């Protein structure tokens, strides 16, 4: 592709360096552009379409709901929302759910819960421990919580009330606990997504849970990207023995229909009361119709087990295909959250992949990030690995 990031129309704010490809339809693991070219989708709308494109049950639920009732607001009961909340609580062990429209909004709700929790304990300036390298969203609160200076630049003054610690560093959190009596919560991703699919050491979440228990802090997990079956469990924390107090999720919950959720238990579940928070569109009829089908498919169709199997298959094939390639620093993943980290920047591979009929993403400049459908076939998974390995082998410069 000669000019991957060509100028977009001036009528659209240039908040994204859009690739000049227009997709017009999708089916399963593939999307098709306006010229009829087919692309294997290794990104799924940034971990959104976990069940693939044009999933027949999701499409049917959306069509039926659209022909019946789309929206009434949260001033009234929404049966589909109530069913979805019950299902998510059953799956997660949480007590209740606040519905919104995005991951940023779900994380915003976690931050508000933490502050209300702090004030309920007579803490006038509640602080939340957050991690370097994290990404929690682009609202003012969530970009402040995000551990990436590029996201924050130009939006000062940032919000007060956040304390930063290196990711995967329990000792640093212990030091914060010893020196800051205003801390009331920890907000962390079980696996850093936008930060480059960084998987913490075994026992990291358990250690954070222990610190929170000793100091009466809330443990709040951002599962916007890792939730909804992406790692082979419904939530990534379910790979551990940890029970968080608050969980935020979104992305894959609606398979493309915008919906976010903030789940809470115990004292945290008592914080958001009438008048303290709200959302006009959050959890409306259409979004919940889609999300209920997604939850059913994930929990009843063996999709999560399949995601775990495919992830292992892809990692093994990557290690075989890229063995001895001196560009490769590490191959890692959990379920279908797969990363190939190189020793050099590789953002140009995004455009090269598009030319080759493949959609990928590069995080943190050097990490090829794959977030494919959880419903891929073995052949599609193998083809994705082979395409990416070929692109790495073809990079100019070092000899593989």
């Amino acid at each position: 592709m000669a000019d991957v990031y060509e100028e977009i129309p001036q009528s659209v704010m240039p908040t994204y360096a859009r690739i000049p490809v227009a997709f017009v339809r999708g089916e399963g693991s593939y999307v098709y552009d306006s010229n009829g070219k087919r692309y294997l989708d290794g990104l799924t709308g940034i971990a959104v379409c976990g069940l693939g494109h044009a999933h027949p049950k999701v499409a049917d639920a959306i069509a039926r709901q659209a022909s019946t009732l789309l929206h009434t607001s949260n001033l009234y009961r929404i049966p589909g929302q109530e069913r979805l909340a019950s299902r998510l609580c059953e799956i997660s062990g949480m007590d209740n759910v606040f519905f919104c429209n995005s991951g940023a909004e779900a994380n915003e709700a976690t931050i508000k819960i933490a502050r209300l929790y702090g004030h309920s304990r007579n803490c006038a300036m509640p602080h939340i421990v957050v991690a370097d390298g994290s990404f929690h969203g682009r609202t003012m609160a969530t970009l402040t919580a995000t551990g990436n200076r590029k996201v924050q630049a130009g939006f000062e003054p940032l919000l007060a009330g956040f304390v930063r610690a290196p990711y995967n560093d329990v000792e640093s959190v212990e030091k914060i606990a010893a020196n800051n009596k205003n801390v009331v919560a920890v907000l962390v991703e079980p696996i850093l997504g936008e930060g480059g699919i960084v998987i913490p050491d075994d026992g990291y979440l358990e250690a954070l849970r222990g610190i929170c228990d000793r100091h009466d802090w809330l443990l709040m997990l951002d599962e916007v990207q890792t939730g909804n079956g992406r790692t082979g469990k419904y939530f990534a924390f379910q790979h551990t023995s940890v029970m968080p107090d608050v969980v935020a999720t979104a992305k894959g919950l609606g398979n493309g229909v915008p919906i976010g959720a903030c789940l809470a238990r115990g004292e945290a579940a008592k914080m958001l009361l009438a008048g303290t928070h709200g959302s006009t569109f959050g959890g409306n009829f259409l979004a919940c119709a889609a999300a209920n089908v997604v939850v059913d498919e994930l929990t009843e169709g063996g999709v999560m087990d399949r995601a775990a199997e495919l992830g292992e298959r892809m990692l093994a094939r990557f290690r075989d295909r890229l063995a001895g390639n001196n560009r490769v620093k590490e191959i890692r993943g959990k379920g279908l959250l797969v990363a190939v980290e190189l020793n050099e920047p590789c953002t140009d591979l995004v455009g090269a992949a598009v030319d080759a009929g493949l959609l990928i993403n590069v995080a943190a400049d050097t990490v090829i990030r794959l977030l494919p459908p959880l419903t891929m076939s073995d052949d599609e998974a193998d083809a994705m690995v082979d395409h990416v390995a070929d692109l790495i082998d073809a990079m100019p410069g070092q000899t593989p």
Side-chain angles (χ1 to χ4, degrees):
M1 181 172 295
D3 185 7
V4 174
Y5 299 118
E6 68 182 19
E7 187 177 353
I8 62 173
Q10 293 184 358
S11 56
V12 178
M13 286 190 182
T15 55
Y16 284 84
R18 287 176 169 85
I19 295 173
V21 177
F23 298 114
V24 296
R25 70 181 182 92
E27 183 178 359
S29 300
Y30 295 91
V31 290
Y32 298 79
D33 71 15
S34 53
N35 295 315
K37 182 178 176 179
R38 188 177 77 161
Y39 301 77
L40 183 58
D41 192 354
L43 188 56
T44 58
I46 317 179
V48 169
C49 299
L51 297 181
H53 299 285
H55 189 281
K57 291 184 180 179
V58 176
D60 181 63
I62 292 171
R64 284 188 287 108
Q65 192 62 60
S67 66
T68 306
L69 184 63
L70 285 177
H71 180 79
T72 61
S73 87
N74 284 293
L75 296 176
Y76 313 98
R77 292 183 64 176
I78 303 173
Q81 182 187 109
E82 293 170 10
R83 178 180 185 271
L84 181 59
S86 295
R87 294 287 283 119
L88 290 174
C89 287
E90 177 186 4
I91 291 165
S92 64
M94 299 290 114
D95 293 337
N96 57 23
V97 186
F98 169 79
F99 288 106
C100 49
N101 310 287
S102 67
E105 290 178 60
N107 281 323
E108 191 85 13
T110 72
I111 293 167
K112 292 184 77 170
I113 286 173
R115 291 197 170 187
L116 286 169
Y117 175 75
H119 287 294
S120 75
R121 293 161 46 82
N122 298 316
C123 178
M125 285 290 293
H127 284 62
I128 301 170
V129 178
V130 292
D132 293 336
S134 63
F135 181 84
H136 299 295
R138 294 183 183 273
T139 65
M140 281 305 301
T142 56
L143 72 83
T144 303
T146 290
N148 182 338
R149 181 60 192 150
K150 290 181 180 180
V151 174
Q152 300 166 344
F155 295 105
E156 297 83 359
L158 302 179
L159 274 63
F162 296 93
V163 185
R164 305 191 185 282
Y167 188 70
N168 195 29
D169 187 336
V170 175
E171 184 178 349
S172 67
V173 181
E174 292 277 19
K175 289 180 179 178
I176 291 170
N179 293 290
N180 189 331
K181 302 307 178 184
N182 288 320
V183 172
V184 297
V186 174
L187 172 62
V188 69
E189 295 169 82
I191 297 171
L192 294 186
E194 300 296 322
I197 307 185
V198 179
I199 302 172
D201 296 336
D202 290 343
Y204 176 59
L205 291 185
E206 288 88 345
L208 292 181
R209 177 73 273 177
I211 295 171
C212 289
D213 288 343
R214 289 194 298 276
H215 296 280
D216 291 327
W217 298 353
L218 300 179
L219 178 60
M220 310 192 302
L221 300 183
D222 176 349
E223 294 240 20
V224 171
Q225 190 164 138
T226 57
N228 306 296
R230 175 58 52 185
T231 68
K233 298 284 188 182
Y234 198 94
F235 291 108
F237 77 80
Q238 293 172 324
H239 290 283
T240 75
S241 61
V242 167
M243 275 295 292
D245 300 294
V246 184
V247 179
T249 195
K251 287 192 180 290
L253 182 56
N255 210 59
V257 177
I259 183 170
C262 177
L263 296 75
R265 72 179 180 100
E267 287 301 308
K270 302 174 184 177
M271 294 297 111
L272 293 181
L273 304 175
T276 59
H277 200 34
S279 172
T280 298
F281 296 105
N284 73 7
F285 285 84
L286 184 68
C288 289
N292 273 308
V293 172
V294 171
V295 172
D296 289 345
E297 288 295 295
L298 289 176
T299 57
E300 299 170 9
V303 176
M304 292 187 291
D305 290 340
R306 177 69 176 154
E309 294 170 6
L310 283 171
E312 289 301 317
R313 182 185 184 95
M314 293 180 71
L315 291 176
R317 193 174 182 92
F318 266 127
R319 288 170 182 141
D320 180 62
R321 279 293 317 269
L322 295 171
N325 189 314
N326 63 6
R327 296 188 181 95
V328 178
K329 180 178 181 180
E330 186 179 18
I331 297 165
R332 58 181 179 264
K334 195 76 170 177
L336 287 176
L337 192 65
V338 177
V340 179
E341 183 173 2
L342 304 187
N343 291 309
E344 59 188 279
C346 57
T347 53
D348 288 348
L349 290 185
V350 174
V354 169
D355 287 343
L358 175 68
L359 305 184
I360 64 171
N361 178 245
V362 171
D365 292 329
T366 60
V367 181
I368 300 167
R369 180 174 58 158
L370 297 175
L371 306 164
L374 313 184
T375 52
M376 281 192 305
S377 69
D378 288 351
D379 288 345
E380 289 166 345
D382 292 347
M384 191 172 296
V385 171
D386 291 341
H387 279 320
V388 172
D390 289 344
L391 290 169
I392 295 171
D393 287 339
M395 289 176 66
Q398 300 181 57
T399 301

